[in-house]
Amino acid sequence: MLSKHITHQTSKNSNTFIYSTMARPTPASSMRNEHWMFDDAMNERIRSTHTPDGRVVDVTQVLQVTRNVLRHIIPNINLSMNGHIDASDDQTNLSAVDGALDALHKICCELSCKCSRGGDAHATTMAIFNMLSSYSWGAKVVLTLAAFAVNFGEFWLIAQLCTSNPLAKSVALLKQPDISEHSQTLKSHFDALSKLINAMFDVTKCIVELTQLHSSKYISIGEPPLSTAMAHIHTATYWIIASVVACTGQITGIIGMRHVFPIPTLEAWELSSLAHKVCSIHEHLQSGLRLCYERIDEKKLMEAFEHFKRTIETPQVDNLKILQNIFGKEENLLNPDRAEVCINVLRRKHVLLLISDLYISQEEIRVLEDVYKERVSSGLNYEIIWLPIVDRTTWNDDYDQEKFSKLQSIMSWYTVSQHVAIEPAVIKYIRGEWGFVKKPIAVTLSPQGKVLCPNALNMMWIWGNSAFPFSSEKEESFWKATPWTLDLLVGRLEPNLPTWVSQQKLVCFYGGVKMEWIESFTTATKAVAEALGIGIEMVYVGKKNASERVKKITGLIKEKELSRAWEENNVWFFWNLLESMLYSKNQHGKTIENDVIKQEVMTMLGYDSSKNGWAVFYTGSGGMVKANGEKVLSTMDKFDEWKNLAKQMGFVPALREKLEGAIPRHHCTRLILPSNGGRIPERVQCAECGRPMELNFLYRCCAE
């Protein structure tokens, strides 16, 4: 490490520290060497003076008064008190620290006496250490800084009043020169002094904070990061006391100059050099404090998390305690009419916690609103509360607040009154236990506060209010009674389906965004239907996350009269319905090996993720058959090869048999699923060949 040799030089009028640095072998250490650190011998000398006897000094009060003294002397100085040290005013009652004030007066005398005589600055520093041996590190620096403020304050009072107060003028004639006449000459000197005082105050606050952390139950003095932060507190204390001695020496130097001006620039430079050293110490301590507070915040967060976890997993009389834990100090919500109401209005009600970030889509809000409004006609009594999950550290008061307010305005259910209403520990629970990442979820709470389902949005999308009370048991029972049919896919979106089936028409739903394929496919398919003499209805259902392209293609399809085409809202709901089915199945632990519906849904989503189109055919008697765009178009173009089979078996069975024998030698199938809290299927089969698919990660910024 670097060994610091401290000597002193006494000019005619002032004490001055001169710091020289001599390199020596560096012992193994994880900390980089700083120019303010000492060798082992010096460290031991300082520590040997520290024998605290447990006395308690309210250093915060003394530090506050010291701050106010220094701010009156140097108005532009930045002596802020942060949130970890309470601020007060000049009316502070210091009776509680009477014992410490005796020590403060002794330090004042030591500084005045030794510095005015041009004594050894290092010896004066160590003398103060010995004088304060019984005090904590924080008390040492605060009392020493306060003593300097007393001496500096007396000097400044006389300097300020000597032109208007006869007594002050007489004292000034006997004690110190009139510095007002030399303000420009002394400017650089006082600028350097101001910078050093500011740095001293910053380091003093850090030392006080570190010593106060000893009493925290969330951090241990014997373990990092507090033990690391405290490792050099004795060195920091030394430099504060040494800086006070240096500043006092400069003040007494000005007094001793009388009419000999200007102040040598060397002395101003030495103050600046010392300020740089103290600033470096402040950065070091501030870094350690930051790590300490991060550790404390982590422990507090974990404690609050465990408390909320116990509360929500413990049977309750009603749901009020759960809701109060979610919102913490926030007792009020905004009701659907945007009036502020107490959270008690939701007591003993079924409540859905709608959890999302600020990027929940208007389509999701619209669909949920339809279900929510239908509850009245269905005779159901439940409420929805929106819980926005936002990053407080990156919150933008302009952009994010506008987005938050806009979402509030279009929601017809209960919302929080402000974006920070949800407790951080609850957000941690929501992410960790309920699996929220980005895709909205709705957690169901019973009137007794029991979690009925960690995400009821899936069943609400699939079955609407018939799934009430939106419990996992209800969802499971619905799946047991639900077969894989076209009605499950499009029954809520295509009102003409029952009519087409009763008319024994061939029904085709298809998707994709390649207009050339769409024209070829629709033309070929209608030609096949005509050749077989059967009626056909074709419906274009677009593509997931491609609204602009789908709009354009829908317009062309209608213009060329190729087929029917769904409007944008139905297209969005269709693809989200498929995803909801998949996530619902995942939530119940279903796999493609033991669940036909999940297998079929993943095949459909796989078709959409590929670059080509796809199609599903259905007849009331022949069931369903599906294929990707390339295979189905090729099969339609080769209709002559299976025409007779179609006439014998029917269109759908014949097409199924033909497709099963038409696996191409090369294919590339993709399946893109949104991130959903880590609930990704472990094994996915290819929709074309049945082989296991590789898992890759795709990061996408633009949905288009």
Side-chain angles (χ1 to χ4, degrees), residues 33-45:
N33 287 314
E34 298 283 2
H35 60 284
W36 46 267
M37 292 182 183
F38 296 130
D39 59 19
D40 294 341
M42 185 62 187
N43 285 329
E44 185 55 35
R45 285 186 63 190

Side-chain angles (χ1 to χ4, degrees), residues 475-490:
E475 187 175 25
E476 179 71 21
S477 67
F478 267 52
W479 276 127
K480 287 179 180 179
T482 303
W484 174 249
T485 63
L486 190 65
D487 186 65
L488 176 65
L489 276 179
V490 301

Side-chain angles (χ1 to χ4, degrees), residues 405-517:
S405 300
K406 184 177 180 181
L407 287 173
Q408 267 188 324
S409 67
I410 61 176
M411 291 181 176
S412 58
W413 43 79
Y414 287 86
T415 66
V416 293
S417 56
Q418 51 183 326
H419 69 277
V420 293
I422 307 168
E423 290 292 299
V426 176
I427 294 177
K428 179 179 175 65
Y429 187 90
I430 287 171
R431 293 188 186 279
E433 301 297 319
W434 291 337
F436 172 76
V437 178
K438 184 174 178 59
K439 193 174 177 63
I441 63 173
V443 179
T444 318
L445 289 182
S446 73
Q448 292 73 39
K450 181 182 178 181
V451 176
L452 299 179
C453 181
N455 186 11
L457 276 186
N458 299 319
M459 68 178 98
M460 295 178 81
W461 278 190
I462 301 167
W463 296 293
N465 282 312
S466 59
F468 182 81
F470 310 117
S471 64
S472 296
E473 292 76 15
K474 187 81 170 182
E475 187 175 25
E476 179 71 21
S477 67
F478 267 52
W479 276 127
K480 287 179 180 179
T482 303
W484 174 249
T485 63
L486 190 65
D487 186 65
L488 176 65
L489 276 179
V490 301
R492 294 171 62 189
L493 299 171
E494 184 49 74
N496 296 312
L497 183 62
T499 302
W500 296 339
V501 172
S502 66
Q503 294 172 348
Q504 297 184 339
K505 286 185 176 182
L506 172 65
V507 181
C508 172
F509 291 88
Y510 70 97
V513 287
K514 288 187 176 180
M515 194 62 206
E516 183 180 352
W517 176 85

Side-chain angles (χ1 to χ4, degrees), residues 122-171:
H122 171 62
T124 304
T125 301
M126 294 307 296
I128 294 174
F129 264 108
N130 289 318
M131 194 181 299
L132 298 173
S133 61
S134 301
Y135 293 89
S136 68
W137 297 112
K140 291 183 205 295
V141 289
V142 169
L143 292 174
T144 305
L145 191 62
F148 168 71
V150 170
N151 289 342
F152 196 15
E154 290 175 352
F155 165 80
W156 202 256
L157 271 175
I158 295 173
Q160 292 294 302
L161 298 176
C162 66
T163 57
S164 59
N165 186 294
L167 175 60
K169 183 176 181 180
S170 298
V171 173

Side-chain angles (χ1 to χ4, degrees), residues 125 129 140-142 144-145 196 199-204 207 234-246 278 281 285:
T125 301
F129 264 108
K140 291 183 205 295
V141 289
V142 169
T144 305
L145 191 62
L196 178 55
M200 288 158 53
F201 194 84
D202 285 340
V203 172
T204 299
I207 294 173
H234 64 286
T235 311
T237 302
Y238 178 92
W239 285 114
I240 294 305
I241 297 177
S243 297
V244 165
V245 174
V278 177
I281 295 172
L285 294 181

Side-chain angles (χ1 to χ4, degrees), residues 530-588:
E530 186 178 353
L532 291 173
I534 56 177
I536 185 171
E537 293 290 347
M538 302 185 74
V539 183
Y540 175 66
V541 299
K543 182 178 175 64
K544 180 179 64 176
N545 295 331
S547 59
E548 293 304 318
R549 283 181 289 173
V550 169
K551 277 183 187 178
K552 183 177 179 181
I553 289 171
T554 298
L556 291 172
I557 289 173
K558 291 180 177 180
E559 180 183 328
K560 297 182 178 184
E561 298 182 345
L562 298 177
S563 71
R564 297 173 184 264
W566 276 346
E567 296 301 322
E568 184 180 2
N569 287 343
N570 278 12
V571 171
W572 179 89
F573 188 81
F574 173 74
W575 292 109
N576 276 269
L577 182 65
L578 282 173
E579 285 185 355
S580 295
M581 291 179 186
L582 174 62
Y583 294 136
S584 176
K585 290 292 185 179
N586 289 344
Q587 207 162 275
H588 288 274

